[in-house]
Amino acid sequence: MKSKGLQVIDNSDGGIVCDIKISPIRDSSGKIIQGLVIGNTLEQNMAFILTGQQGDFKSNPDLGVNMGELLLSDDFLEYRHKIRSHFVKDGLKIKTLDLFDGKPFKVDATYE
């Protein structure tokens, strides 16, 4: 199931953004028995798809919207189409997608 997996550090955590989130748990003798944080990956997967470019994902090399290029373009329709098609490749169903000039960007999606 794609909605659960390893968590990465985000803006609200301390550390380098996108590094694997580790929270060591030790037993009574001080040995680490658990450390990797597992949780809901929907938001981070959407962020990776939006910011990644094609070739970034080894398991799916044609996935990646590369939203950074939008700064050099004003074709919002092209990017709305690109977002929809790349989310579908990952199994995401878009409920809401707002990407218009002068308005805040908003995307709401879930795994099917």
Side-chain angles (χ1 to χ4, degrees), residues 25-33:
I25 297 173
R26 299 177 186 272
D27 65 8
S28 59
S29 65
K31 289 184 180 179
I32 296 175
I33 57 171

Side-chain angles (χ1 to χ4, degrees), residues 77-108:
L77 178 61
E78 175 189 354
Y79 274 87
R80 286 193 303 271
H81 174 71
K82 206 173 188 182
I83 291 166
R84 287 186 185 282
S85 66
H86 286 253
F87 274 29
V88 165
K89 290 177 188 180
D90 197 52
L92 287 162
K93 182 178 180 181
I94 294 179
K95 296 178 185 177
T96 306
L97 175 59
D98 292 334
L99 178 61
F100 300 98
D101 192 17
K103 301 212 178 193
F105 173 64
K106 180 182 176 186
V107 63
D108 183 19

Side-chain angles (χ1 to χ4, degrees), residues 5 34 37:
Q34 187 175 338
V37 179

